[in-house]
Amino acid sequence: MARGAAERIAVERIVGERSMLAGIGVSAIGIGMYIPFTLVFFHHVTGLSFAVVGMVLTATGLAGIASMPVAGSAVDRYGAKRVNLVLYALRVLGFALYPLAGSVPAFAAVALVAALADRSFPVVQHSLIGEVARGSARDRLQASLRALQNAGMGAGALLVSTVLGVWGPAAFDVTAWATALAFALAGLLVSRVHPVRDALPKAGGAAEAGRTGTGTGAVARPAAGYRMVLRDRPFLGLTAANFLTALGYAALSVLFPLYLTAWLNGPDSLTGAAFTLNTALCAGAGVLVAARVRRSGARRTRSAALGAVLFAAAFAGQIVLGTLRPGGTGLAVGLLAVVIVYTLGELIHSPSAGALSVSAAPEAVRGRYLATYQLSYSLAGALAPSLFTGLLAVDGRLPWALLAVAALGAAGALLRLERHLPADAVHPEPPCSAPVRRWRRCTGSARRACGRPRPGTTMRTCGPSWPTYRR
């Protein structure tokens, strides 16, 4: 058993993994240094009005979404690692120049460069995980990535809040340059990561060359572009299901604060407490929860569906609170309980859904596939504000009802798609194909002597040392 465990651990080890995770954490600190103060940050750094800053950021953000398919094509042509480093360089350039962009054209140009990198980054980041990891290691990296992002963004926001408290608004310029430095350091750390394809033997023959493009580790050029993605109906179904869940991800930041103040008449401090609890749980328990899910052997479709069901339960809890409208301690306890259920759903859904999308994408066109998949998050984020505010104006419980139905629909879609998706995408580890044999019945002292499973059970062996008992 010890030898089998050692073999599995060895397989999951990734060359440069620690550097990659450190880079993700440093990058998240950089993001946390400006995201919570976006409008205020850019207003002080550029000297432009809030209205102009908001207009420019909206326009450049939409342009960034339009660039995501280009990023997917670039990943397929040049490899995720190279494109990842280019995006880090663009982020460094953008934040280094922000304090110098005092006019509208200059700010728009710099903001466009940064937006192109920011919007395309999730596509490239998930593609890089697909390049450097296989099997359950992808689930583990997805969980680590989310935990580090939450911890890093929280640390970055706390750091800037402290600096602003000491130096005042004058510290925003220093914050911009510190953010650029964080992205530069993150790029240097990620440059030490070695994709799996680069580790393949150079003389691996035609079979290896067919999977990697050439025997020298070059990236394969796909025979078809986005037409291939559009013809893949199971993957498009997976993307549509993720769009339904992505609306729920947007609820905590967009809908929750409005619902708390406008419908429940609660204090603004509860919003901060909810965000803090969510961030702390994601950072502290994300890896542990994901590891427990992996050890259970659950299929990625089913664990992602479970996460969506927990989302629906949390949204139903909001409807209950919106109907009862408790006050004081009752409201605080109820909201924090809902946030805990919501966060648990996030911790279960996110790693499984992310690894499922990466593994369901053919390697040669993984960038294009993941660009399409990530559009579900971008579209949900763009649609959420107008959708939530419109429903909230009618009845505060309506947006939560919509989200609950959407989450349950996503869970059902994931279960229906299970049979149509590739087996190696659904299963973190290849399903066992060893023959199943029935043990002879053991009763009384004979049963205790033979030390075998209960009568009527079967055993199949997945590898040399990993038995699984089934009834």
Side-chain angles (χ1 to χ4, degrees), residues 3 25 34 77 83 102 135 149 189 235 261 320-321 350 378 404 415 418 421 432:
R3 181 179 178 183
Y34 75 93
R77 184 175 180 86
V83 180
Q149 284 179 334
L189 289 168
F235 192 85
T261 56
V320 173
L321 288 176
S350 181
S378 297
L415 296 179
E418 185 175 285
L421 293 169
C432 179

Side-chain angles (χ1 to χ4, degrees), residues 129-219:
I129 289 177
E131 283 190 2
V132 304
R134 295 288 185 267
S136 61
R138 288 177 176 170
D139 304 70
R140 178 168 52 82
L141 279 183
Q142 291 281 355
S144 299
L145 181 147
R146 191 161 190 84
L148 285 169
Q149 284 179 334
N150 280 277
M153 289 181 65
L158 179 61
L159 176 62
V160 172
S161 298
T162 303
V163 172
L164 291 175
V166 176
W167 289 351
F172 276 117
D173 285 353
V174 177
T175 300
W177 288 322
T179 302
L181 181 62
F183 287 139
L185 178 57
L188 289 175
L189 289 168
V190 172
S191 67
R192 302 176 63 183
V193 178
H194 297 282
V196 174
R197 66 179 65 189
D198 290 344
L200 289 173
K202 293 186 177 182
E208 297 292 356
R211 286 197 296 270
T212 61
T214 68
T216 60
V219 180

Side-chain angles (χ1 to χ4, degrees), residues 38-425:
T38 300
L39 288 176
V40 178
F41 175 88
F42 289 116
H43 165 71
H44 283 288
V45 169
T46 63
L48 300 173
S49 67
F50 287 111
V52 172
V53 169
M55 180 183 65
V56 171
L57 291 179
T58 299
T60 55
L62 293 174
I65 292 177
S67 72
M68 291 171 64
V70 179
S73 300
V75 167
D76 294 334
R77 184 175 180 86
Y78 302 108
K81 178 181 174 180
R82 291 181 181 178
V83 180
N84 187 279
L85 295 178
V86 170
L87 295 185
Y88 271 128
L90 290 176
R91 288 172 134 183
V92 171
L93 178 65
F95 280 89
L97 293 178
Y98 268 132
L100 308 178
S103 65
V104 174
F107 174 55
V110 175
L112 179 60
V113 171
L116 294 177
D118 286 343
R119 295 291 183 175
S120 300
F121 195 79
V123 177
V124 181
Q125 184 75 72
H126 287 81
S127 298
L128 182 61
I129 289 177
E131 283 190 2
V132 304
R134 295 288 185 267
S136 61
R138 288 177 176 170
D139 304 70
R140 178 168 52 82
L141 279 183
Q142 291 281 355
S144 299
L145 181 147
R146 191 161 190 84
L148 285 169
Q149 284 179 334
N150 280 277
M153 289 181 65
L158 179 61
L159 176 62
V160 172
S161 298
T162 303
V163 172
L164 291 175
V166 176
W167 289 351
F172 276 117
D173 285 353
V174 177
T175 300
W177 288 322
T179 302
L181 181 62
F183 287 139
L185 178 57
L188 289 175
L189 289 168
V190 172
S191 67
R192 302 176 63 183
V193 178
H194 297 282
V196 174
R197 66 179 65 189
D198 290 344
L200 289 173
K202 293 186 177 182
E208 297 292 356
R211 286 197 296 270
T212 61
T214 68
T216 60
V219 180
R221 295 189 181 186
Y226 281 99
R227 290 175 299 174
M228 181 176 177
V229 184
L230 296 177
R231 288 197 298 264
D232 193 336
R233 295 180 64 182
F235 192 85
L236 292 180
L238 184 64
T239 303
N242 191 69
F243 170 77
L244 298 176
T245 314
L247 288 172
Y249 277 97
L252 187 63
S253 59
V254 177
L255 175 59
F256 184 84
L258 295 175
Y259 177 72
L260 175 62
T261 56
W263 186 260
L264 295 178
N265 298 318
D268 292 332
S269 59
L270 278 180
T271 299
F275 276 92
T276 301
L277 179 61
N278 175 261
T279 302
L281 289 176
C282 287
V287 175
L288 297 176
V289 172
R292 180 67 183 86
V293 172
R294 287 199 311 275
R295 286 197 297 269
S296 72
R299 302 176 186 183
R300 287 168 175 151
T301 44
R302 299 184 183 185
S303 53
L306 174 59
V309 170
L310 289 173
F311 274 167
F315 301 148
Q318 293 284 27
I319 296 174
V320 173
L321 288 176
T323 302
L324 300 177
R325 292 191 178 186
T329 304
L331 176 61
V333 172
L335 283 175
L336 294 181
V338 166
V339 171
I340 290 174
V341 176
Y342 173 90
T343 306
L344 182 60
E346 182 180 348
L347 297 181
I348 294 175
H349 175 272
S350 181
S352 299
L356 180 63
S357 65
V358 172
S359 301
E363 183 174 353
V365 284
R366 183 182 291 133
R368 289 173 170 87
Y369 267 69
L370 293 183
T372 304
Y373 184 81
Q374 289 296 323
L375 278 174
S376 61
Y377 283 110
S378 297
L379 292 176
L383 179 63
S386 59
L387 177 64
F388 292 161
T389 52
L391 293 175
L392 190 64
V394 178
D395 190 302
R397 294 163 293 185
L398 276 181
W400 299 112
L402 174 67
L403 289 173
V405 172
L408 291 176
L414 285 167
L415 296 179
R416 288 179 62 87
L417 287 168
E418 185 175 285
R419 71 179 75 175
H420 303 291
L421 293 169
D424 59 348

